[in-house]
Amino acid sequence: MMLSIADVLTSEQVAECRQAFEQASWQDGRITAGQQAVMAKSNQQLALDDPLALQIGDFIVQRLSSHPQFVSAALPLKVLPPRFNRYSGGGTYGNHIDNSIFSMAGTSQRVRSDLSATLFFCDPDEYDGGELVVEDSYGSHRVKLPAGHLVLYPGSSLHRVEPVTRGTRYAAFFWIQSLVRDDTQRSLLLELDRAVQALTLEVPESAELARLTGVYHNLLRQWANT
Ligand code: NI
């Protein structure tokens, strides 16, 4: 499942982050790349322990935890602290698959990357190139969202970032371990949840609505791992 989620950050919040990014100390992104990815990667990142990254990262996670669409789609169990990157001057990241397991810095916790997320901080007309291209069995999906919007896609996907040939592209990226590991099961739950939400508006008194809501929770009980 690929899903774009609008308005994770307001335009004021995006502007504030952008101002901070302009002053930030960016490092060569290859430092955190795996052995194969290092060949394909040409961008810059904030250090994982950069106070700015920690602060904005916390804020993003907090916003998402109360974002109904994100919660419904991702069914998050653990969210890895967001990381931040910058692409400009032809910067790119060739086709790769992300690591499957990440350690939470400073803890013994590990996060399985069931879902990948990219949050855009720049509007599409501010830079050329820089599309996130995700390959799945339905083909290639090119993603370039407005600032403040986020895309969720399966952590198992082959993906890349096209070269940024004009301007600068700032983004946050991170991984989510879901209560429901399987993408198909998670997609079915999202579909059912959407139907239940729509019926709640149309026929709030319906007895069948209560039964459908029960089916949702009983499927979640079957499939969730906590
Ligand atoms: Ni990646």
Side-chain angles (χ1 to χ4, degrees):
M1 173 208 350
M2 275 190 83
L3 191 71
S4 60
I5 298 180
D7 303 321
V8 171
L9 299 180
T10 65
S11 49
E12 291 77 20
Q13 289 162 344
V14 167
E16 223 173 291
C17 294
R18 286 276 296 271
Q19 220 167 17
F21 291 154
E22 307 284 346
Q23 319 289 328
S25 39
W26 295 89
Q27 304 185 333
D28 190 326
R30 282 174 293 191
I31 292 169
T32 59
Q35 267 181 341
Q36 291 185 334
V38 78
M39 307 290 292
K41 194 172 182 185
S42 149
N43 69 358
Q44 294 175 303
Q45 287 180 202
L46 295 183
L48 299 185
D49 61 353
D50 187 310
L52 180 68
L54 295 173
Q55 187 197 342
I56 300 179
D58 276 353
F59 183 69
I60 292 169
V61 173
Q62 192 194 321
R63 292 277 299 177
L64 287 171
S65 67
S66 59
H67 196 298
Q69 214 190 336
F70 174 80
V71 173
S72 170
L75 296 169
L77 175 62
K78 298 181 209 169
V79 180
L80 203 79
R83 303 176 178 191
F84 298 86
N85 58 23
R86 176 170 80 172
Y87 291 83
S88 60
T92 180
Y93 195 170
N95 267 336
H96 67 280
I97 290 180
D98 297 335
N99 290 343
S100 49
I101 308 285
F102 289 88
S103 296
M104 285 254 208
T107 75
S108 56
Q109 280 210 62
R110 286 184 287 189
V111 177
R112 188 185 59 230
S113 51
D114 296 326
L115 288 156
S116 295
T118 297
L119 173 62
F120 292 78
F121 284 93
C122 301
D123 280 318
D125 61 358
E126 292 183 85
Y127 57 100
D128 289 338
E131 294 87 354
L132 170 69
V133 183
V134 180
E135 312 271 0
D136 68 14
S137 46
Y138 293 104
S140 283
H141 307 272
R142 301 176 72 81
V143 184
K144 192 170 179 178
L145 298 179
H149 294 210
L150 174 139
V151 62
L152 264 183
Y153 59 99
S156 55
S157 324
L158 186 68
H159 59 280
R160 65 180 181 272
V161 176
E162 298 281 47
V164 172
T165 54
R166 175 186 65 90
T168 302
R169 173 197 194 267
Y170 292 105
F173 61 105
F174 53 97
W175 295 274
I176 299 123
Q177 181 171 337
S178 178
L179 288 163
V180 176
R181 177 182 192 160
D182 184 84
D183 188 63
T184 309
Q185 292 175 338
R186 213 183 312 110
S187 302
L188 286 171
L189 286 170
L190 176 61
E191 201 51 30
L192 181 54
D193 187 42
R194 283 175 167 169
V196 167
Q197 298 301 330
L199 288 173
T200 303
L201 294 176
E202 285 171 31
V203 283
E205 306 298 330
S206 162
E208 280 66 33
L209 182 58
R211 292 172 70 185
L212 270 183
T213 305
V215 169
Y216 176 87
H217 285 291
N218 288 331
L219 282 175
L220 184 56
R221 204 185 325 276
Q222 284 286 321
W223 292 338
N225 282 296
T226 56

